[in-house]
Amino acid sequence: MLMRCVGARSRQEGIVDAFGVGLIGAGFMGKCHALAWTNVSAVFADAPNMRRAALCEIDEIVARRRASEFGFETSTADWRALISNPAVDVVSITAPNALHAPMAIAALEAGKHVWCEKPMAPSLAEAERMTAAARASGKVAILGYNYIQSPAIRYVAKLLKEGAIGRVTHFRAEMDEDYMADAEAPFSWRSEASAGYGALDDFAVHPMSLILSLLGSPSEVFGEMRKPYACRPDGGGRRAVENFDIATALLRMGDGAGGAIQVSRCAWGRKSRLQVQLFGARGAIVFDQERFNEVGVYIADGPVEHQGFRQVLMGPAHPPYERFIIAPGHQMGFNELKIVEAHELLNRIAGRPALTVDFETGLAIERAIHAIARSCKEGRWVSVP
Ligand SMILES: NC(=O)c1ccc[n+]([C@@H]2O[C@H](COP(=O)([O-])OP(=O)(O)OC[C@H]3O[C@@H](n4cnc5c(N)ncnc54)[C@H](O)[C@@H]3O)[C@@H](O)[C@H]2O)c1
């Protein structure tokens, strides 16, 4: 006998099956959001079956093709039409940075929940307006800071809370990729001033999100930005690069700890090297996103001859790994972080405890990033408001 299973599970309070998703922008991150919405109810038994209601791309034909590939019911080339679609309850914004503010504000004003990719917006004023819109709407608005969702980072947070390495004295964080390392890599929206400072808000926001969630906000920063290539191929000609592919910052924390962030979009050989090293009074912790199913832990106790880093491999003992696969060491992937993030957003909507970077916290990240940019311009330490 065939049985209908849809709706048979107990769901997050206040969210019913067929909760509608609208997705704006179906490029790299758009596909990650689409996969997350498709799979969240299969991974988390308390999540509703999401209705993939509408997809928007800049070109109508592309929109139709992507909607069909990702299982969305309707497509449009007009993001305002997607936002006013009554079947849409939550809007995923995975369009270029310069569009985040107008799209997020319009969605919140229309009474929709928002999952917007990082960074918030190129300017602090826009990020502030987004936060004000979220506050006024009473809706849930979060940002795509997926790395805080990793079982490894949750394990690092637990180790710090338990005092495993003692008081953190200093840290170093890097985010390196090489997708713009080739001087002949084509000009894209990422090199436009309208996208922001460049590597600083493309990349540095990620390590900053980890520092904020693990250690708190920096009180003062000193920054430096570099442009390794002045222009890039664009159509038949060349176009001047309008922002910076490399950024470095020193951070002073309120509790006396200090650290450094360096990020680069031109680091040959590095593909997604978000590395964080935390040094404490009794040991050290090392995490690298390129090997994000493991955490290096060094505890300075016992006989010196036996001391050394232990590599702890993630498994069901490191939630939410067990939601994906029951076997240790079989490894999670990037898209699964997005499924966890979608679930945390649904938890937040349902009024349950949730681990998210909401617009308020996102604004704190933006304040630190803009302070770094200001320091770079003025050549001095700048306080983070
Ligand atoms: N969280 C992460 O780890 C992560 C990783 C990469 C990118 N991002 C962020 O995701 C966002 C998108 O980046 P991406 O790498 O997917 O870029 P992308 O260029 O691959 O995709 C952006 C898509 O938006 C579409 N688009 C542009 N204008 C539009 C409009 N007016 N209406 C509808 N669609 C429109 C483009 O056609 C494109 O398909 C950026 O803000 C980026 O910073 C986050």
Side-chain angles (χ1 to χ4, degrees):
M1 187 176 71
L2 281 175
M3 292 183 61
R4 258 180 79 80
C5 296
V6 174
R9 297 177 299 184
S10 88
R11 305 292 185 184
Q12 283 146 309
E13 204 176 313
I15 310 184
V16 291
D17 274 338
F19 201 66
V21 178
L23 175 72
I24 311 177
F28 169 28
M29 265 309 110
K31 183 165 186 174
C32 299
H33 280 232
L35 290 173
W37 288 125
T38 307
N39 292 307
V40 66
S41 66
V43 176
F44 294 94
D46 62 357
N49 286 308
M50 302 299 295
R51 174 178 177 189
R52 279 158 282 158
L55 180 146
C56 175
E57 249 300 337
I58 200 160
D59 175 274
E60 250 171 54
I61 296 168
V62 175
R64 210 174 307 136
R65 195 182 325 129
R66 294 280 176 266
S68 154
E69 285 166 6
F70 300 162
F72 280 76
E73 292 167 17
T74 62
S75 64
T76 175
D78 175 1
W79 62 266
R80 291 184 191 279
L82 178 143
I83 284 172
S84 58
N85 183 336
V88 171
D89 299 296
V90 54
V91 180
S92 272
I93 300 172
T94 54
N97 304 354
L99 295 166
H100 292 182
M103 289 173 174
I105 292 169
L108 290 162
E109 285 176 353
K112 316 288 169 145
H113 304 287
V114 168
W115 181 12
C116 179
E117 266 312 321
K118 50 52 62 178
M120 280 183 94
S123 80
L124 195 54
E126 286 168 298
E128 281 165 351
R129 279 201 295 277
M130 290 165 80
T131 311
R135 233 176 265 146
S137 71
K139 294 289 162 184
V140 173
I142 71 156
L143 294 151
Y145 285 109
N146 22 268
Y147 300 115
I148 66 161
Q149 306 298 348
S150 145
I153 291 298
R154 291 183 183 194
Y155 177 57
V156 172
K158 185 166 177 270
L159 287 172
L160 290 178
K161 202 167 163 210
E162 290 170 357
I165 61 164
R167 181 177 59 85
V168 174
T169 55
H170 62 300
F171 59 85
R172 210 166 300 141
E174 295 160 15
M175 185 158 182
D176 291 328
E177 293 191 18
D178 66 1
Y179 70 94
M180 290 168 81
D182 188 339
E184 295 305 302
F187 192 96
S188 79
W189 63 262
R190 292 173 201 278
S191 294
E192 286 177 13
S194 67
Y197 301 114
L200 195 56
D201 35 18
D202 199 5
F203 282 3
V205 291
H206 277 305
M208 194 63 86
S209 75
L210 296 181
I211 289 163
L212 249 83
S213 79
L214 295 171
L215 304 175
S217 184
S219 54
E220 280 184 293
V221 292
F222 193 102
E224 159 76 356
M225 294 193 279
R226 292 265 135 219
K227 191 186 291 189
Y229 310 118
C231 54
R232 290 187 180 276
D234 185 37
R238 299 188 76 78
R239 183 167 165 188
V241 171
E242 295 167 5
N243 56 25
F244 301 90
D245 292 332
I246 301 167
T248 308
L250 297 175
L251 279 67
R252 286 180 182 151
M253 308 300 283
D255 64 358
I261 293 182
Q262 186 169 53
V263 295
S264 169
R265 310 193 283 202
C266 299
W268 275 123
R270 300 303 186 195
K271 305 300 175 185
S272 177
R273 190 170 187 271
L274 170 52
Q275 191 188 55
V276 181
Q277 298 187 75
L278 304 168
F279 300 100
R282 292 187 49 240
I285 299 173
V286 178
F287 165 81
D288 181 351
Q289 174 62 22
E290 282 183 356
R291 301 193 173 277
F292 89 94
N293 284 279
E294 53 194 271
V295 174
V297 185
Y298 182 100
I299 308 289
D301 61 10
V304 174
E305 63 179 331
H306 296 312
Q307 286 180 10
F309 270 98
R310 274 187 302 121
Q311 285 306 109
V312 180
L313 202 54
M314 295 299 103
H318 306 96
Y321 179 103
E322 77 293 352
R323 299 295 193 126
F324 293 91
I325 187 159
I326 56 167
H330 283 51
Q331 316 230 343
M332 285 173 59
F334 179 91
N335 277 319
E336 295 176 334
L337 300 184
K338 282 300 193 194
I339 297 175
V340 179
E341 195 167 62
H343 182 243
E344 294 294 342
L345 168 58
L346 293 171
N347 278 338
R348 188 92 191 239
I349 293 171
R352 293 158 94 162
L355 180 66
T356 54
V357 173
D358 61 15
F359 278 19
E360 304 282 349
T361 310
L363 186 59
I365 294 172
E366 297 295 331
R367 290 205 164 114
I369 292 299
H370 286 275
I372 293 169
R374 190 165 152 217
S375 157
C376 177
K377 200 165 150 208
E378 298 178 3
R380 62 178 183 88
W381 283 91
V382 169
S383 299
V384 180

